Amino acid sequence: MPVPIAPPRPAIPAAVRPEAERHWRTGVEHGRAGRWKEAEKSHARAVRIAPGEPLYWVNLAQARRKLGDHVGVIAAADGALAADPHYVLARQMRVAARMERHCYEDLLEDAEAVARRPGAGYESWLDYGIALDRTNRHVAAVGALMSALSCKPDGFDAYITLCNAFDRLRLHAEAVESLRTAVALRPGWEQGLGGIVHHALHGCDWRRLELDLSALAARVAQPGRIDINPFMFLSFGADAAVQRRAFGDHASLRYGSVAPLPAPAPRRAPRTGRVRVGYLSNDFHTHATAMLLVQVLELHDRERVEVRLYSYGPDDGSAMRRRLERAGDAFVDIAGLSEREAAQRIRDDDVEVLVDLKGYTLHARVSILAMRPAPVQVAWLGFPGTSGAPFIDYAIVDPVVLPPACADEFTEALAWLPDCYQPNDRMREVGVPPGRAACGLPQDAFVFCAFNHTYKIRPDTFDVWCRLLKDVPGSVLWLLASNPQAEENLIREAGSRGIERSRLVFAQVAPPAEHLARLTHADLFLDTLPINAHTTASDALWSGVPVVTCTGNAFVGRVAASLLHAVGLPELAVADMASYESLARTLANDPQRMATLRERLRRARDESPLFDSARTARELDALYVRMAERSRAGLPPAPLPAMRAPFPTAEEDSGR
């Protein structure tokens, strides 16, 4: 985008020039000494006297940047550009400030102007590529990042962002190669080693999987802290103790230096009455988390809790977004705020219990929680593992995903729901079921279904699935068409195991109502390990499809078992893969037993705890009240065992 031609800059009157320059120089001296408040005042005086001098404006912007005043940075940069639209540094400062506020759409124009100016270098193209990537212009992002690398072929950060763009384009082989280059530039970089495994799993390219897993395991086994994306780490199959160490290291390295907000002023009177609960998420739109949670938000007992939703994600204009906006007592859009501004808003709203629904999943803003905006901070639903973070007080679990005997797998105090940690929406829309032919399914075949994301599929699990296809004549395996590379690789892997292409059927991603409707054509859902199906398993059970799972060695591998216990089919959760294979084979060859399971699931929709949204809401209300009562009594977080009404007081909990 061309930079507009600047009008002639008005001359600074000779009479005021010395005074303005004096304030500017004073501000520069304050800045060199790290006295940024004083520097900001001096530069503000200079621009009031000489508003036509862009240099004074950008120095004011720099002082405000050091003070964390990103809105002020943008205003000062605006002043510089009003004086001189050619002033590149002002555009760069506006880009940086808007990045801090996650306003990527707003910064695109400036980022493009800076990148496309003659002589633009690596950093300019990198910033533009990041902005394009974060605004879902991934093809353009790849082009910008390639321009960055043409300026600096060893640009480490460009390869990382390039990997992100390829990931969103579902080009996982290209994402892997970007990371291999980054690891070559920084040997032993554990985040890259983990990313290579994760993206290879997304593409179901297992040809170097064992070698890559071995390289990662060797790095994790070394002394010292490790920093690997926790969401990626879940797919590596590490046991819960290793996960706890890795996630704790990540929390310490990434958020240990985040300064908390200043301590709040003492309350004039003890806090009483309703508990003000805030839910924090990027996913308050058409997203799996929202689809599970929305009815529970609507059913909270407003005599016990007040519900506020804090959203830093996009408004997708969907019916789900509109429903979520009405679900609580307040819906607060903090997408355009910096982490500190968002944390301060939550603090100013006097939220007592802040529930994080993201953890370490995509686009999470964990720094908001690290600033301690609320006296009680809780992890729930989004991330199936411990945060490892000292600023998260509680994790909401259930007795199956985290049995009391396994409490040391988490750093948080555990708050147990009695039946299942996962909520559900009984009002979810289900479309009209299409015919089997419309789904690409043979009319009379037994349909094994595995709609998990492809990164959850491991070669040993796929071995089992292929043996089942051989043992059940005419059966098919119905998979999610997650990305073309995975589809191609799964077809190749099946062929190497003696399975014809026609035995694999790929379902395109569909809107939720259509997906639930077509699920009725599946006969048996085959789960994955080490990561189970989560929302996908709930969808299957709601649609009347039995799920067979193998219980894993950490939270992330016990989710389907939790769902099956809560829906009244605990016998479908087995302890090892041999039993998993045997059970699936037996069920596929026993139509009467399959019919019985389907009938039990039909009744379970109205009778089981898994789909009782009102019960889940009441039990959550009780947990939030117990957490708040402990905090109000000056007691530290402590385990809150699963209880049904009547619920214990804070004093009774403190004696446990």
Side-chain angles (χ1 to χ4, degrees), residues 471-612:
D471 292 345
V472 181
S475 62
V476 295
L477 178 60
W478 200 12
L479 298 160
L480 183 67
S482 179
N483 65 83
Q485 292 179 349
E487 187 172 339
E488 179 182 336
N489 286 326
L490 286 170
I491 291 169
R492 188 194 70 250
E493 292 286 345
S496 72
R497 292 162 172 81
I499 300 298
E500 296 178 358
R501 164 68 182 85
S502 61
R503 306 288 295 281
L504 303 187
V505 179
F506 290 91
Q508 298 299 317
V509 175
E514 293 179 23
H515 174 64
L516 290 172
R518 71 185 178 186
L519 260 174
T520 58
H521 292 309
D523 291 300
L524 185 64
F525 187 102
L526 300 175
D527 198 14
T528 49
L529 201 71
I531 304 183
N532 287 171
H534 296 183
T535 308
T536 312
S538 275
D539 290 344
L541 295 169
W542 179 258
S543 299
V545 182
V547 175
V548 172
T549 190
C550 180
T551 305
N553 60 2
F555 183 120
V556 72
R558 303 183 191 121
V559 172
S562 169
L563 301 177
L564 288 166
H565 277 75
V567 84
L569 298 176
E571 70 272 22
L572 299 187
V574 297
D576 55 68
M577 289 301 292
S579 300
Y580 167 100
E581 181 175 352
S582 175
L583 176 59
R585 183 181 295 106
T586 298
L587 292 175
N589 288 295
D590 190 341
Q592 183 58 49
R593 188 172 175 189
M594 288 296 301
T596 300
L597 290 172
R598 281 188 172 274
E599 175 59 23
R600 288 169 64 186
L601 281 175
R602 187 192 64 78
R603 294 197 305 269
R605 285 179 58 152
D606 295 322
E607 299 172 1
S608 72
L610 180 61
F611 298 121
D612 191 339

Side-chain angles (χ1 to χ4, degrees), residues 30-53:
H30 282 312
R32 286 173 177 165
R35 298 186 296 270
W36 292 107
K37 286 185 179 179
E38 292 83 356
E40 194 273 344
K41 292 176 183 176
S42 296
H43 291 311
R45 294 188 188 105
V47 299
R48 281 197 296 271
I49 297 168
E53 177 49 65

Side-chain angles (χ1 to χ4, degrees), residues 592-644:
Q592 183 58 49
R593 188 172 175 189
M594 288 296 301
T596 300
L597 290 172
R598 281 188 172 274
E599 175 59 23
R600 288 169 64 186
L601 281 175
R602 187 192 64 78
R603 294 197 305 269
R605 285 179 58 152
D606 295 322
E607 299 172 1
S608 72
L610 180 61
F611 298 121
D612 191 339
S613 304
R615 177 193 292 195
T616 302
R618 289 194 304 271
E619 291 166 349
L620 280 169
D621 292 338
L623 279 183
Y624 296 151
V625 169
R626 291 164 71 188
M627 293 172 187
E629 285 179 344
R630 289 190 63 83
S631 176
R632 293 175 184 184
L635 298 171
L640 301 178
M643 300 282 294
R644 299 197 187 278

Side-chain angles (χ1 to χ4, degrees), residues 119-238:
Y122 170 77
E123 294 291 343
S124 298
W125 282 108
L126 176 61
D127 284 347
Y128 185 38
I130 291 171
L132 289 166
D133 184 53
R134 290 303 300 269
T135 54
N136 297 318
R137 296 167 171 88
H138 305 298
V139 173
V142 170
L145 294 163
M146 289 300 186
S147 294
L149 290 168
S150 70
C151 300
K152 185 181 179 183
D154 61 349
F156 180 82
D157 290 331
Y159 285 110
I160 306 311
T161 311
L162 194 60
C163 168
N164 295 337
F166 283 137
D167 173 53
R168 306 308 289 171
L169 291 168
R170 302 189 298 171
L171 297 173
H172 297 291
E174 290 78 0
V176 167
E177 291 310 309
S178 298
L179 288 178
R180 290 198 192 281
T181 304
V183 170
L185 292 170
R186 189 178 293 180
W189 178 51
E190 62 266 27
Q191 184 86 312
L193 294 171
I196 288 168
V197 172
H198 186 71
H199 289 291
L201 286 170
H202 262 292
C204 295
D205 186 351
W206 305 323
R207 289 170 291 189
R208 294 186 57 177
L209 182 60
E210 289 305 317
L211 286 173
D212 290 331
L213 279 170
S214 295
L216 178 63
R219 173 62 189 91
V220 170
Q222 292 175 8
R225 295 188 295 181
I226 54 174
D227 186 14
I228 299 178
N229 179 296
F231 184 76
M232 291 182 180
F233 201 91
L234 290 172
S235 62
F236 303 155

Side-chain angles (χ1 to χ4, degrees), residues 401-467:
V401 289
L402 203 62
C406 300
D408 61 356
E409 294 178 4
F410 273 49
T411 59
E412 300 87 349
L414 299 179
W416 279 276
L417 288 170
D419 298 299
C420 185
Y421 86 103
Q422 190 187 93
N424 270 283
D425 176 18
R426 293 188 55 79
M427 297 174 62
R428 70 184 87 185
E429 180 185 355
V430 180
V432 178
R436 273 201 167 197
C439 298
L441 298 169
Q443 191 62 38
D444 299 319
F446 188 93
V447 178
F448 292 108
C449 173
F451 276 170
N452 276 343
H453 278 294
T454 49
Y455 73 87
K456 298 183 181 183
I457 304 173
R458 298 292 282 269
D460 54 348
T461 304
F462 197 67
D463 288 341
V464 171
W465 295 351
C466 289
R467 287 197 294 269

Side-chain angles (χ1 to χ4, degrees), residues 4-28:
I5 298 173
R9 188 190 310 171
I12 301 172
V16 302
R17 189 180 299 120
E19 183 182 0
E21 185 168 336
R22 178 172 59 81
H23 287 301
W24 169 70
R25 290 189 181 280
T26 300
V28 170

